[in-house]
Amino acid sequence: MAASSDDLDWLLADEPEDRSPADATPVTVLTGFLGAGKTTLVNRLLAEDHGLRLAVLVNDFGAVDIDSELIVGIETGTVSLANGCVCCEIRDDLMGAVRSVLRQDDELDGIVLEASGVAEPMGIARTFAAPEARPLVRLDGIIAVVDAEQLPDQVDDPATSDLVYAQIGYSDLVILNKIDLADRDRVDGVRTFVHQRLPGVRIVEAVFADVPFEVLIGGRSTDDDRDADIHAVQSSQIDHGHEHGHEHRFVSWVYRRAVPFDLARLEHAIAALPRSVYRIKGFVQADVDPGCRYLLQAVGMRSDIVEHGAWDGTRPETCLVVIADGETNHRDDVVALLDACQAPATGFTTR
């Protein structure tokens, strides 16, 4: 599915010259071996009332269970749904599909690509991460869906081992799915197996790929995102998601400091965060340009920091929402790592 330079030139043709990296539409790549549960997750994205306007790109419409009552429009290769999402079928031209959905709606909150079960995500990721593809799209994260019961057999099989390792090893977050079909010892064994080989990988356990959307998708930043507390309020449903079965497996909290930060240190700190931290999003006051807001979006060890305009009369400060594991969120460790990224100054204040 990787795009050539000619594909990217065509993709970017006629794009507004003043489009900034902060305007880029985030792309989430779903990877994982056949039968792991990617399509189950796609069905949830298309059916639930999550408040996000998403374009979901799939290889095969027939494998997706689109509720006919949700369909509000059908065009060639595209189904529009009542919750604001669209589902688009890709054939051989991934970047053409991306261009097509952005032409229909350039205010999408995100694009989700369900990769083939036998696809390695590296080539797809390089396509979206290529400098010439920005600021049109931004690689938000690579999510690997793994079958907790089948993984040990898949990595022991020479025919599938390399592919499964590639899918997990290149991901920012692993959904250890179908834990209801494996006993606790099996699940713990799989976690240990993955972390022994890939220590930095974040793992989220799930049944029927039921993971909060705030964990999966960072979403597009807008001019309304002037205060990360907005996201804290939205993410607070993670703490009380009993109706979705999340209970207290996930928590969110706000980190706030009123001093400039060193952006290079901050990027290194994100990569060193505990595995219990899944996502961070918010604004940063940087020492290199105090008059400019910088937007930080991170999933797993992947981080992206871009300029996002002036503070426009609001008090400059760093304000980040952290989404973490509810049982082992290591909040004190996270705070210490982030505090160490402050630019040299007389001290810091909190509120």
Side-chain angles (χ1 to χ4, degrees), residues 41-104:
L41 180 52
V42 164
N43 285 333
R44 288 186 54 238
L45 291 171
L46 292 173
E48 292 191 13
D49 185 16
H50 41 63
L52 298 173
R53 297 168 66 186
L54 301 174
V56 180
L57 308 183
V58 298
N59 288 295
D60 180 13
F61 266 151
V64 181
D65 182 18
I66 301 176
D67 189 336
S68 61
E69 294 185 3
L70 298 176
I71 297 175
V72 296
I74 300 178
E75 298 180 13
T76 303
T78 302
V79 175
S80 300
L81 304 174
N83 63 355
C85 295
V86 296
C87 184
C88 302
E89 191 170 38
I90 341 170
R91 298 195 183 277
D92 296 323
D93 188 0
L94 169 60
M95 301 310 294
V98 170
R99 179 61 182 243
S100 176
V101 298
L102 289 178
R103 278 177 171 167
Q104 294 177 53

Side-chain angles (χ1 to χ4, degrees), residues 17-26 131 133-138 220-221 295 297 304-308:
E17 294 183 359
D18 60 349
R19 188 180 175 100
S20 73
D23 296 323
T25 302
R134 304 183 76 172
L136 187 65
V137 291
R138 169 181 61 82
R220 181 174 176 176
S221 179
L295 174 66
Q297 303 192 68
D304 194 45
I305 304 177
V306 297
E307 295 183 9
H308 200 265

Side-chain angles (χ1 to χ4, degrees), residues 161-179:
S161 178
D162 289 346
L163 175 59
V164 172
Y165 272 126
Q167 291 174 339
I168 297 174
Y170 211 73
S171 66
D172 303 298
L173 187 70
V174 170
I175 300 176
L176 193 56
N177 197 32
K178 305 184 182 181
I179 62 169

Side-chain angles (χ1 to χ4, degrees), residues 6-50:
D6 291 340
D7 291 329
L8 292 171
D9 289 341
W10 174 78
L11 172 69
L12 295 170
D14 302 324
E15 285 301 316
E17 294 183 359
D18 60 349
R19 188 180 175 100
S20 73
D23 296 323
T25 302
V27 177
T28 300
V29 178
L30 295 181
T31 186
F33 199 65
L34 298 165
K38 298 188 303 298
T39 303
T40 299
L41 180 52
V42 164
N43 285 333
R44 288 186 54 238
L45 291 171
L46 292 173
E48 292 191 13
D49 185 16
H50 41 63

